Amino acid sequence: MVKHKPSAALLAGVLLALSSGARAQQLFSLEDARSDDDGGGLLLYPNRPDLQKGDLDLVRVSAEQRSDGIWFVAEMGQPIRSPEGKVTEVGLVPVDRLARNGFYTFNLDVYVDQDRIAGLGQTDAIPGRGVTIDRQFAWEKCIVLTPRPDIARTMLQLYYDSVFEADLRAKQGKVSKQELEALEKRSEAQVDERYFFPNKVRVSGRRIEFQVPGEFLGGTPTQSWAYTVVVTGANLEQASFLGKPSPAGAAMMTMGVGTGIRSDLWGIRSDTDPGTPPVIDLLAPDPQTQAKVLGDYDTVAGRLAAVPGVAPDGKAALPPTGVQLTMEQAARLGETTPAGTGPAATLPSTERRAAPARLRTLNQLLEEGLITQAEYDELRRKILAEL
Ligand SMILES: [Ca+2]
Ligand SMILES: [Ca+2]
C-alpha cells in the first residue's frame, strides 16, 4: 500500500477550514419548507416585477458566533433584491436612500424564547404583522430585520407611547405632561430592552446576514432557545401610518392584504377572508403547520393567529407549575398578556401624546437622511396636531 503524503495545498485547505471553523462557530441552524411563500396557501404575490414567487420564501435561519460577534443568517428562495437604482412610487425618492442595508422588499422578525417556560414572556408580535406568538414560545427578545431600522424603531416607540398613554388615561381619566414624559421614557426603555433593529447587515445572493449584539441577547444563542421567525412584505412608504396600526395591518412598514391582484398588497381571492394575516412565510417545524396556524384566527373575537417557534433541541416548553421560578420570572409571569389581548391586538388611542422628544427624533432622522422631507412634514404635522 502506498501512503499518499497530503499535498501542501490540501494541508493549507484543511488548516484554513480549521481556522475559519475556529472563527465561526455555528450556534443553530433551522430549515423551512421551500416554495411555501404563500401565507397559508392564500396569499398571491403582487403584480410587480421586483416581487416574484420565491423572493420571500424563507429557506433557512441560522446563527454563528464569529470573531466580530453573533451573526444571524437567513437564506431565501431567490436572490435578495437590491434597492439600488429603484425609486419610490410617490416622490420618486431613490430607494437606497431610505433602505441603506442592501435590501428593501421584506421584514424578517425573529422572536427568541430564552427560558422555554410556557407563557413566560411576550406573546405580541410587531404591530401590523397581524399575528401573535404562541404562548408556548412566549419571547424575551425580538430581532426586527427591516429595511428602515431607524424609522421602524421610532414607529415602535410611538406605538408604545400611545398604548401606555391609553392605558393610563383609561385608569385615571387624564394624563399630565409629566406623566407623558415618563411614559415616553418607559416606552423607550422597553423598546431598548426587548427589540433590536439590526443595522449591520450584509446581503450576498440568497443570503442576508445581520449582527446581533450578545449584550442585547444577554447571552449566546443556544440549541435550547426557541425561535419564532415571521416574514412579511415591506412597504417602505408607510411612515404616515406612524404609531397607528390600521385594522388592515398597515403598520410598521408591513405590506397589507387586499382582494385581487395589486401592486402594493398581497392579493387574496374574493372568497378568501379579508382578515387573512399578511405573513407570507414563517419558520415552521413541518410543512403542515403554516397553513393550519395562519388560518386559525377569529376577527370577531379579536383572536389573532398564534405562530409557534422552533427549538433546535426539539424540546417542548415546560409548564410554569413544573419548574422553580426565580423571583424575576414569577413577577414576569404575572404580567404576561394573554394571546390576542396584548398591544398588537389593541388599537391605541390617537389622543395627545408627548411630543418634544419625538420631534427631536424626527429632526435627527431627517438630518441623517433616513426619512424624506415629505415624510418629515407629514409626521411633524401629525405629532403637532395631537398636542
Ligand atoms: Ca419557506
Ligand atoms: Ca419565554
Side-chain angles (χ1 to χ4, degrees):
M1 255 185 41
V2 183
K3 275 196 179 166
H4 289 282
K5 255 180 95 178
S7 72
L10 181 64
L11 263 182
V14 169
L15 284 175
L16 188 68
L18 280 175
S19 65
S20 69
R23 277 205 304 271
Q25 183 204 348
Q26 187 164 85
L27 301 167
F28 73 85
S29 177
L30 295 163
E31 271 179 50
D32 186 55
R34 281 178 187 271
S35 309
D36 61 344
D37 49 335
D38 53 12
L42 299 169
L43 298 187
L44 307 164
Y45 268 79
N47 181 24
R48 49 189 260 204
D50 62 344
L51 213 46
Q52 298 287 318
K53 182 79 178 153
D55 282 3
L56 271 55
D57 180 14
L58 180 68
V59 171
R60 183 196 301 274
V61 178
S62 59
E64 286 177 7
Q65 176 74 60
R66 298 182 190 162
S67 56
D68 63 344
I70 297 163
W71 287 79
F72 279 68
V73 182
E75 200 179 310
M76 311 304 281
Q78 290 292 329
I80 291 161
R81 308 258 178 188
S82 164
E84 263 172 62
K86 299 263 178 348
V87 292
T88 60
E89 261 177 49
V90 182
L92 301 180
V93 179
V95 172
D96 60 0
R97 230 188 83 195
L98 305 175
R100 298 180 163 191
N101 291 332
F103 72 107
Y104 73 106
T105 54
F106 61 89
N107 310 296
L108 185 133
D109 309 339
V110 183
Y111 304 87
V112 186
D113 176 13
Q114 298 175 319
D115 52 50
R116 299 308 330 279
I117 298 170
L120 185 56
Q122 307 302 310
T123 54
D124 47 318
I126 293 290
R129 307 303 196 231
V131 293
T132 53
I133 308 307
D134 188 320
R135 59 188 304 283
Q136 298 294 318
F137 300 87
W139 57 272
E140 279 66 47
K141 300 287 177 182
C142 174
I143 304 153
V144 189
L145 179 68
T146 186
R148 304 181 70 185
D150 301 281
I151 188 84
R153 195 179 174 288
T154 306
M155 283 174 149
L156 192 62
Q157 260 175 228
L158 281 171
Y159 171 79
Y160 276 117
D161 287 352
S162 50
V163 170
F164 291 155
E165 190 193 331
D167 281 356
L168 195 60
R169 192 175 295 279
K171 241 179 245 162
Q172 55 187 44
K174 60 178 177 189
V175 180
S176 73
K177 197 151 192 273
Q178 285 78 7
E179 285 169 327
L180 280 177
E181 277 165 17
L183 282 180
E184 238 189 40
K185 286 214 174 70
R186 200 178 130 212
S187 69
E188 198 158 348
Q190 175 154 317
V191 169
D192 280 344
E193 193 212 322
R194 293 184 187 163
Y195 301 90
F196 182 72
F197 295 82
N199 239 324
K200 259 193 168 171
V201 180
R202 291 187 203 131
V203 175
S204 166
R206 297 190 294 112
R207 284 161 58 96
I208 184 162
E209 313 183 329
F210 44 107
Q211 196 186 43
V212 182
E215 306 87 71
F216 165 73
L217 290 170
T220 307
T222 68
Q223 301 275 329
S224 66
W225 290 0
Y227 307 87
T228 303
V229 184
V230 172
V231 183
T232 52
N235 179 343
L236 298 193
E237 296 168 80
Q238 245 181 30
S240 52
F241 290 93
L242 199 79
K244 292 181 191 178
S246 83
M252 291 291 293
M253 292 173 280
T254 315
M255 194 166 84
V257 171
T259 310
I261 302 284
R262 312 268 284 269
S263 67
D264 55 348
L265 296 171
W266 297 114
I268 49 170
R269 294 185 177 83
S270 55
D271 57 352
T272 303
D273 185 69
T276 302
V279 172
I280 190 74
D281 199 3
L282 52 87
L283 179 73
D286 58 70
Q288 290 78 46
T289 298
Q290 185 169 315
K292 205 177 100 207
V293 161
L294 292 177
D296 186 11
Y297 60 88
D298 182 339
T299 49
V300 174
R303 183 173 60 80
L304 298 173
V307 180
V310 182
D313 69 4
K315 289 190 182 153
L318 295 165
T321 47
V323 287
Q324 187 74 41
L325 296 179
T326 63
M327 295 272 280
E328 180 267 340
Q329 287 175 332
R332 278 204 294 135
L333 191 62
E335 67 188 31
T336 299
T337 50
T341 62
T346 330
L347 296 182
S349 82
T350 54
E351 288 155 292
R352 229 163 70 87
R353 66 168 66 107
R358 294 299 176 249
L359 285 176
R360 276 198 298 278
T361 310
L362 263 194
N363 287 338
Q364 205 183 337
L365 288 168
L366 182 68
E367 273 166 29
E368 291 170 11
L370 292 164
I371 51 175
T372 63
Q373 183 69 47
E375 284 172 326
Y376 172 84
D377 293 343
E378 168 77 2
L379 295 171
R380 187 168 182 278
R381 193 184 58 73
K382 285 197 177 194
I383 292 174
L384 293 177
E386 283 157 15
L387 279 179

